[in-house]
Coordinates of all heavy atoms in Angstrom, one line a residue:
A1081 N 32.8 -1.1 17.9 CA 33.8 -2.1 18.4 C 34.1 -3.2 17.4 O 35.2 -3.6 17.3 CB 33.2 -2.6 19.8
E1082 N 33.0 -3.6 16.7 CA 33.2 -4.7 15.8 C 33.6 -4.3 14.4 O 34.5 -4.8 13.8 CB 31.9 -5.5 15.6 CG 32.0 -6.7 14.7 CD 30.8 -7.5 14.6 OE1 29.7 -7.1 15.1 OE2 30.8 -8.7 14.0
S1083 N 33.0 -3.2 13.9 CA 33.4 -2.8 12.6 C 34.8 -2.1 12.3 O 35.2 -1.8 11.2 CB 32.3 -1.7 12.1 OG 32.4 -0.5 12.8
E1084 N 35.4 -1.8 13.4 CA 36.8 -1.2 13.4 C 37.7 -2.1 12.7 O 38.7 -1.7 12.0 CB 37.4 -1.0 14.9 CG 38.6 -0.2 14.9 CD 38.4 1.2 14.4 OE1 37.4 1.8 14.6 OE2 39.4 1.8 14.0
I1085 N 37.4 -3.4 12.6 CA 38.3 -4.4 11.9 C 38.3 -4.1 10.5 O 39.2 -4.5 9.7 CB 37.8 -5.8 12.2 CG1 38.9 -6.9 11.8 CG2 36.4 -6.2 11.6 CD1 40.1 -6.9 12.6
F1086 N 37.2 -3.5 9.9 CA 37.2 -3.2 8.5 C 38.1 -2.1 8.0 O 38.2 -1.8 6.8 CB 35.7 -2.9 8.0 CG 34.8 -4.0 8.3 CD1 33.4 -3.8 8.5 CD2 35.2 -5.3 8.4 CE1 32.5 -4.8 8.8 CE2 34.2 -6.4 8.5 CZ 32.9 -6.1 8.7
Q1087 N 38.6 -1.3 9.0 CA 39.4 -0.1 8.7 C 40.8 -0.5 8.2 O 41.4 -1.4 8.7 CB 39.5 0.8 9.9 CG 38.2 1.2 10.5 CD 37.3 1.9 9.4 OE1 37.7 2.7 8.7 NE2 36.0 1.4 9.5
D1088 N 41.4 0.2 7.2 CA 42.7 0.0 6.8 C 43.1 -1.3 6.3 O 44.2 -1.8 6.4 CB 43.7 0.4 7.8 CG 43.5 2.0 8.2 OD1 43.2 2.8 7.4 OD2 43.6 2.2 9.5
G1089 N 42.1 -2.1 5.7 CA 42.3 -3.3 5.2 C 42.6 -4.4 6.1 O 43.2 -5.5 5.7
N1090 N 42.3 -4.4 7.3 CA 42.5 -5.4 8.3 C 41.7 -6.7 8.0 O 42.0 -7.8 8.3 CB 42.2 -4.9 9.7 CG 43.3 -3.9 10.2 OD1 44.5 -4.4 10.3 ND2 43.0 -2.7 10.5
A1091 N 40.5 -6.4 7.5 CA 39.6 -7.6 7.2 C 38.6 -7.2 6.1 O 38.2 -6.0 6.0 CB 38.9 -8.1 8.5
E1092 N 38.1 -8.1 5.4 CA 37.0 -7.9 4.4 C 35.8 -8.5 5.0 O 35.7 -9.5 5.7 CB 37.5 -8.6 3.1 CG 36.5 -8.4 2.0 CD 35.4 -9.5 1.9 OE1 35.7 -10.6 2.4 OE2 34.3 -9.2 1.3
W1093 N 34.6 -7.8 4.8 CA 33.3 -8.1 5.5 C 32.9 -9.5 5.3 O 32.4 -10.1 6.2 CB 32.3 -7.1 5.1 CG 31.7 -7.2 3.8 CD1 32.2 -6.7 2.6 CD2 30.6 -8.0 3.4 NE1 31.3 -7.0 1.5 CE2 30.4 -7.9 2.0 CE3 29.6 -8.8 4.1 CZ2 29.3 -8.5 1.3 CZ3 28.6 -9.4 3.4 CH2 28.5 -9.2 2.0
K1094 N 33.0 -10.0 4.0 CA 32.5 -11.4 3.8 C 33.2 -12.4 4.6 O 32.6 -13.3 5.3 CB 32.6 -11.7 2.4 CG 31.5 -11.2 1.5 CD 31.6 -11.7 0.1 CE 30.4 -11.2 -0.8 NZ 30.6 -11.6 -2.2
S1095 N 34.6 -12.3 4.6 CA 35.4 -13.3 5.4 C 35.1 -13.1 6.9 O 35.1 -14.1 7.7 CB 36.9 -13.2 5.1 OG 37.3 -11.9 5.3
W1096 N 35.0 -11.9 7.3 CA 34.8 -11.7 8.8 C 33.4 -12.3 9.2 O 33.4 -13.0 10.2 CB 34.7 -10.2 9.0 CG 34.5 -9.8 10.5 CD1 33.3 -9.4 11.0 CD2 35.4 -10.0 11.6 NE1 33.4 -9.1 12.4 CE2 34.6 -9.5 12.7 CE3 36.7 -10.4 11.7 CZ2 35.2 -9.5 14.0 CZ3 37.2 -10.4 12.9 CH2 36.5 -9.9 14.1
L1097 N 32.4 -12.1 8.4 CA 31.1 -12.7 8.8 C 31.1 -14.2 8.8 O 30.5 -14.9 9.6 CB 29.9 -12.1 7.9 CG 29.6 -10.7 8.1 CD1 28.4 -10.3 7.3 CD2 29.4 -10.3 9.6
K1098 N 31.9 -14.7 7.9 CA 32.0 -16.2 7.7 C 32.6 -16.7 8.9 O 32.2 -17.8 9.4 CB 32.8 -16.6 6.5 CG 32.8 -18.0 6.1 CD 33.5 -18.3 4.8 CE 33.4 -19.8 4.4 NZ 34.1 -20.1 3.2
Q1099 N 33.6 -16.1 9.4 CA 34.3 -16.6 10.7 C 33.3 -16.5 11.9 O 33.4 -17.3 12.8 CB 35.5 -15.7 11.0 CG 36.6 -15.8 10.0 CD 37.8 -14.9 10.3 OE1 38.2 -14.9 11.5 NE2 38.3 -14.2 9.3
M1100 N 32.4 -15.5 11.9 CA 31.5 -15.3 13.0 C 30.3 -16.2 12.9 O 29.5 -16.1 13.9 CB 31.1 -13.8 13.1 CG 32.2 -12.8 13.2 SD 32.9 -12.8 14.9 CE 31.5 -12.0 15.7
R1101 N 30.2 -16.9 11.8 CA 28.9 -17.6 11.5 C 28.7 -18.8 12.5 O 29.6 -19.5 12.8 CB 28.8 -18.0 10.1 CG 27.5 -18.4 9.6 CD 27.5 -18.5 8.1 NE 27.9 -17.2 7.4 CZ 28.4 -17.1 6.2 NH1 28.6 -18.1 5.5 NH2 28.7 -15.9 5.7
Q1102 N 27.5 -18.9 13.1 CA 27.2 -20.0 13.8 C 26.8 -21.2 13.0 O 26.4 -21.1 11.8 CB 25.9 -19.7 14.8 CG 26.1 -18.6 15.7 CD 24.8 -18.3 16.5 OE1 24.0 -19.1 16.7 NE2 24.7 -16.9 16.8
P1103 N 26.9 -22.4 13.6 CA 26.5 -23.7 12.8 C 25.1 -23.5 12.2 O 24.1 -23.2 13.0 CB 26.7 -24.8 13.7 CG 27.7 -24.2 14.7 CD 27.4 -22.8 14.9
G1104 N 24.8 -23.8 11.0 CA 23.6 -23.7 10.4 C 23.0 -22.3 10.1 O 22.0 -22.1 9.4
E1105 N 23.9 -21.2 10.4 CA 23.5 -19.9 10.0 C 24.0 -19.6 8.7 O 25.0 -20.0 8.3 CB 24.0 -19.0 11.1 CG 23.5 -17.5 11.0 CD 24.2 -16.6 12.1 OE1 25.4 -16.8 12.4 OE2 23.4 -15.8 12.5
N1106 N 23.3 -18.7 8.0 CA 23.7 -18.3 6.6 C 23.9 -16.8 6.6 O 23.6 -16.1 7.6 CB 22.9 -18.8 5.5 CG 21.4 -18.3 5.6 OD1 21.2 -17.2 6.0 ND2 20.6 -19.2 5.3
I1107 N 24.4 -16.2 5.5 CA 24.7 -14.8 5.4 C 23.4 -14.0 5.5 O 23.4 -12.8 6.1 CB 25.4 -14.5 4.0 CG1 25.9 -13.0 4.1 CG2 24.5 -14.7 2.9 CD1 26.7 -12.7 2.8
L1108 N 22.2 -14.5 5.0 CA 21.0 -13.8 5.2 C 20.6 -13.6 6.6 O 20.2 -12.5 7.1 CB 19.8 -14.5 4.5 CG 18.5 -13.9 4.5 CD1 18.5 -12.4 3.9 CD2 17.5 -14.7 3.7
D1109 N 20.7 -14.7 7.5 CA 20.4 -14.6 8.9 C 21.4 -13.6 9.6 O 21.0 -12.9 10.5 CB 20.4 -16.0 9.5 CG 19.4 -16.9 9.0 OD1 18.3 -16.4 8.9 OD2 19.7 -18.1 8.8
Q1110 N 22.6 -13.7 9.2 CA 23.6 -12.8 9.8 C 23.2 -11.3 9.6 O 23.3 -10.5 10.5 CB 25.0 -13.1 9.4 CG 25.7 -14.3 10.0 CD 27.0 -14.4 9.5 OE1 27.4 -14.7 8.4 NE2 28.0 -14.2 10.4
L1111 N 22.9 -11.0 8.4 CA 22.6 -9.6 8.1 C 21.3 -9.2 8.7 O 21.2 -8.0 9.1 CB 22.6 -9.4 6.5 CG 23.9 -9.5 5.7 CD1 23.6 -9.5 4.3 CD2 24.8 -8.4 6.2
I1112 N 20.4 -10.0 8.8 CA 19.1 -9.7 9.5 C 19.4 -9.4 11.0 O 18.9 -8.4 11.5 CB 18.1 -10.8 9.4 CG1 17.5 -10.9 7.9 CG2 16.9 -10.6 10.4 CD1 16.7 -12.1 7.7
D1113 N 20.3 -10.2 11.6 CA 20.6 -10.0 13.1 C 21.4 -8.7 13.2 O 21.1 -7.9 14.2 CB 21.4 -11.2 13.5 CG 20.6 -12.4 13.7 OD1 19.4 -12.3 13.9 OD2 21.2 -13.5 13.9
I1114 N 22.3 -8.4 12.3 CA 23.1 -7.1 12.4 C 22.2 -5.9 12.3 O 22.3 -5.0 13.2 CB 24.1 -7.1 11.3 CG1 25.3 -8.1 11.6 CG2 24.7 -5.7 11.2 CD1 26.2 -8.3 10.4
F1115 N 21.3 -5.9 11.4 CA 20.4 -4.8 11.2 C 19.3 -4.7 12.3 O 19.0 -3.6 12.8 CB 19.6 -4.9 9.9 CG 20.4 -4.2 8.7 CD1 21.5 -4.9 8.2 CD2 20.1 -2.9 8.2 CE1 22.2 -4.3 7.1 CE2 20.8 -2.4 7.2 CZ 21.9 -3.1 6.6
D1116 N 18.9 -5.9 12.8 CA 17.8 -5.9 13.8 C 18.4 -5.4 15.1 O 17.6 -4.7 15.9 CB 17.4 -7.3 14.0 CG 15.9 -7.4 14.6 OD1 15.2 -6.5 14.4 OD2 15.6 -8.4 15.2
S1117 N 19.6 -5.6 15.4 CA 20.2 -5.1 16.7 C 20.8 -3.7 16.6 O 21.1 -3.2 17.7 CB 21.3 -6.0 17.1 OG 22.4 -6.0 16.1
S1118 N 20.7 -3.1 15.5 CA 21.2 -1.7 15.4 C 20.2 -0.7 16.0 O 19.0 -0.9 15.8 CB 21.4 -1.4 13.9 OG 21.7 0.0 13.7
N1119 N 20.7 0.4 16.6 CA 19.7 1.4 17.2 C 19.5 2.5 16.3 O 19.0 3.6 16.7 CB 20.2 1.7 18.5 CG 21.6 2.4 18.5 OD1 22.2 2.6 17.4 ND2 22.1 2.8 19.6
I1120 N 19.9 2.4 15.0 CA 19.7 3.4 14.1 C 18.2 3.7 13.8 O 17.4 2.7 13.8 CB 20.4 3.1 12.7 CG1 21.9 3.0 12.8 CG2 20.1 4.2 11.7 CD1 22.6 2.6 11.7
R1121 N 17.7 4.8 13.6 CA 16.3 5.1 13.3 C 15.8 4.2 12.2 O 16.5 4.0 11.2 CB 16.0 6.5 12.9 CG 15.8 7.5 14.1 CD 15.1 8.7 13.7 NE 13.7 8.4 13.2 CZ 12.6 8.2 14.0 NH1 12.8 8.3 15.3 NH2 11.5 7.9 13.5
P1122 N 14.6 3.6 12.3 CA 14.1 2.6 11.4 C 14.1 3.0 9.9 O 14.5 2.3 9.1 CB 12.6 2.5 11.8 CG 12.6 2.8 13.3 CD 13.6 3.9 13.4
E1123 N 13.8 4.3 9.7 CA 13.7 4.8 8.3 C 15.1 4.9 7.7 O 15.4 4.7 6.5 CB 13.0 6.1 8.1 CG 13.7 7.3 8.7 CD 13.2 7.5 10.2 OE1 12.7 6.5 10.8 OE2 13.4 8.6 10.7
V1124 N 16.2 5.2 8.6 CA 17.6 5.3 8.1 C 18.0 3.8 7.8 O 18.8 3.6 6.8 CB 18.5 6.0 9.2 CG1 19.9 6.0 8.7 CG2 17.9 7.4 9.3

Side-chain angles (χ1 to χ4, degrees):
E1082 183 178 9
S1083 65
E1084 188 66 27
I1085 193 70
F1086 298 152
Q1087 305 305 314
D1088 300 321
N1090 287 296
E1092 184 266 337
W1093 73 272
K1094 278 185 179 177
S1095 60
W1096 178 256
L1097 291 188
K1098 189 175 182 179
Q1099 294 178 47
M1100 300 286 289
R1101 200 167 295 162
Q1102 301 175 30
E1105 189 179 39
N1106 60 38
I1107 191 171
L1108 180 58
D1109 293 321
Q1110 281 187 293
L1111 290 172
I1112 289 172
D1113 285 343
I1114 288 169
F1115 274 78
D1116 205 27
S1117 62
S1118 172
N1119 60 2
I1120 296 173
R1121 272 202 65 83
E1123 65 272 17
V1124 178

